[in-house]
Amino acid sequence: MPARTYWKGYLKLSLVTCPVAMTPATSESEKVRFHTLNRDTGNRIISRYVDAESGKPVDPEDQAKGYEAESGRFVVIEEEELEAVRLDTVRTIDVDAFVPRDSIPWVYLDSPHYLVPDDEVGVEAFSVIRDAMAAAKMVGISRVVLYRRERAVMLEPRDRGIVLWTLRYGDEVRDEKAYFSEIDEVKPEPELLDLAQKFIKAKSADWSPELVKDPVQEHLLKLIASKKRRKGARVSASREDGRPANVVNLFDALKKSLQADKSLRS
C-alpha cells in the first residue's frame, strides 16, 4: 500500500506549472523500535521539557526556538519570523537550472523522494517537464522547504515520475582528497589481480533487495517472538567473533578463498 503523501505543492518550469505530491522513497517504519520502561512497574517513561535553571516543566505554549548568539545569551526566533524567510520555496519547486546528471558527485545526494502529479489536469505539464529533462539527459536543480528547512534539491526523471533528491550543502561535504591522497600508490601483482578478478566474477549476481537484508532486524524479531512465548524469560544469543585471523600472505588467502567456496571451483 502506497505511503501517505508527505508534501504537496507546485512544480514550476518558467511559465509551466503543475500541482505535485511528494513521498519519501525510503522508510524505517518497519524497523523494531523500543520504548523506555520503568523496570519495576513495566510502565512507559515519558520525557518532558524542563527549565535548565529552575528544573520546572515548561508548557508547549511557552516553548520557543532560540539561537545562541554568544555564550549563555540566546536570541528568540518566533515561528512567524521563520515562515517569513521561507518565501515561495515553502510550496513551490521552481526549476531554474539544469546540469548533467553525472556532474553531481554522489556524496551530495542525501534523501530520495517520489514526485508525482497531484491531479489529472496537471499530468500533461508534469510530463512535459519530465520528458524534456530526459531527452536532454539533464537533471533540474531547485530549492524547497522540507523537514522545516530550505534545501537544495535535484529532480531526476525516472520512468513515469520524477525522483527528487535532497542535496547536501557544500559546507557539509568533506573533500575526499584529504583522506585518499595519503594512501600509497601501489600497483598489484598481475597474478594477485587475476585471482581477485576471478573471485569477483564467480561471485557476481544480479541486484536484489535480498542482498541488503538487515540480519540484526531479523534476530530482534525472533528475540521478541521468543519473549512473547515465554513471558519474563531471558533469551541469550550466542555470537561469534567475526574478525578473521591475521592474513600473512595475500596470494595464499585469495587461493584459499577460491578453493573454499564450491561455486568458485572450475
Side-chain angles (χ1 to χ4, degrees):
M1 185 176 181
R4 67 181 182 85
T5 298
Y6 170 78
W7 181 95
K8 287 190 176 186
Y10 295 89
L11 176 60
K12 182 180 178 185
L13 175 62
S14 187
L15 300 178
V16 180
T17 303
C18 65
V20 290
M22 189 191 314
T23 303
T26 60
S27 171
E28 294 191 352
S29 62
E30 299 302 317
K31 292 288 185 183
V32 173
R33 299 182 184 277
F34 296 102
H35 297 287
T36 304
L37 306 178
N38 181 331
R39 185 185 295 277
D40 293 332
T41 65
N43 298 329
R44 285 182 57 188
I45 297 174
I46 62 172
S47 59
R48 300 181 68 182
Y49 284 102
V50 299
D51 189 292
E53 297 297 326
S54 69
K56 294 180 179 179
V58 181
D59 292 331
E61 59 268 22
D62 294 325
Q63 297 169 16
K65 287 182 170 59
Y67 175 81
E68 191 169 14
E70 56 188 63
S71 181
R73 190 175 76 84
F74 295 86
V75 176
V76 175
I77 307 295
E78 302 295 345
E79 286 295 332
E80 311 85 71
E81 294 174 309
L82 288 174
E83 291 294 336
V85 299
R86 287 169 184 162
L87 302 176
D88 293 338
T89 56
V90 174
R91 288 292 171 218
T92 303
I93 304 170
D94 192 351
V95 188
D96 56 3
F98 296 90
V99 301
R101 171 64 178 84
D102 294 341
S103 68
I104 302 178
W106 63 269
V107 72
Y108 280 87
L109 300 181
D110 188 8
S111 300
H113 301 72
Y114 296 136
L115 196 67
V116 300
D118 195 32
D119 63 29
E120 294 184 5
V121 176
V123 171
E124 184 177 13
F126 181 90
S127 300
V128 167
I129 297 172
R130 177 200 64 208
D131 292 352
M133 287 194 294
K137 297 182 179 179
M138 304 287 270
V139 293
I141 303 297
S142 185
R143 293 178 180 275
V144 65
V145 172
L146 289 174
Y147 311 110
R148 301 185 68 82
R149 59 176 284 202
E150 187 178 67
R151 295 171 180 267
V153 296
M154 178 191 83
L155 290 90
E156 180 179 20
R158 186 179 295 273
D159 194 20
R160 287 184 284 182
I162 291 174
V163 175
L164 179 146
W165 283 87
T166 54
L167 299 175
R168 294 183 176 91
Y169 288 112
D171 58 4
E172 297 175 326
V173 175
R174 291 173 176 165
D175 187 355
E176 63 188 41
K177 292 179 182 177
Y179 303 90
F180 296 163
S181 62
E182 298 299 319
I183 302 174
D184 293 335
E185 188 173 347
V186 176
K187 190 171 183 180
E189 293 293 331
E191 278 187 304
L192 283 173
L193 199 58
D194 183 62
L195 274 175
Q197 288 174 333
K198 185 178 180 182
F199 188 87
I200 291 171
K201 184 177 180 180
K203 282 290 189 180
S204 296
D206 292 331
W207 162 255
S208 166
E210 292 295 309
L211 294 173
V212 288
K213 287 198 304 186
D214 184 354
V216 173
Q217 178 84 353
E218 292 179 357
H219 290 148
L220 280 174
L221 291 172
K222 290 177 182 177
L223 175 63
I224 291 168
S226 177
K227 288 276 190 178
K228 285 181 179 178
R229 290 194 300 270
R230 297 186 293 164
K231 188 175 181 181
R234 291 184 177 275
V235 178
S236 61
S238 62
R239 131 180 190 183
E240 297 179 358
D241 187 349
R243 292 173 296 182
N246 290 335
V247 178
V248 178
N249 186 299
L250 184 58
F251 188 84
D252 288 343
L254 282 170
K255 285 185 70 175
K256 288 178 181 178
S257 295
L258 289 167
Q259 294 167 356
D261 194 315
K262 295 179 181 179
S263 67
L264 305 181
R265 297 175 187 172
S266 54

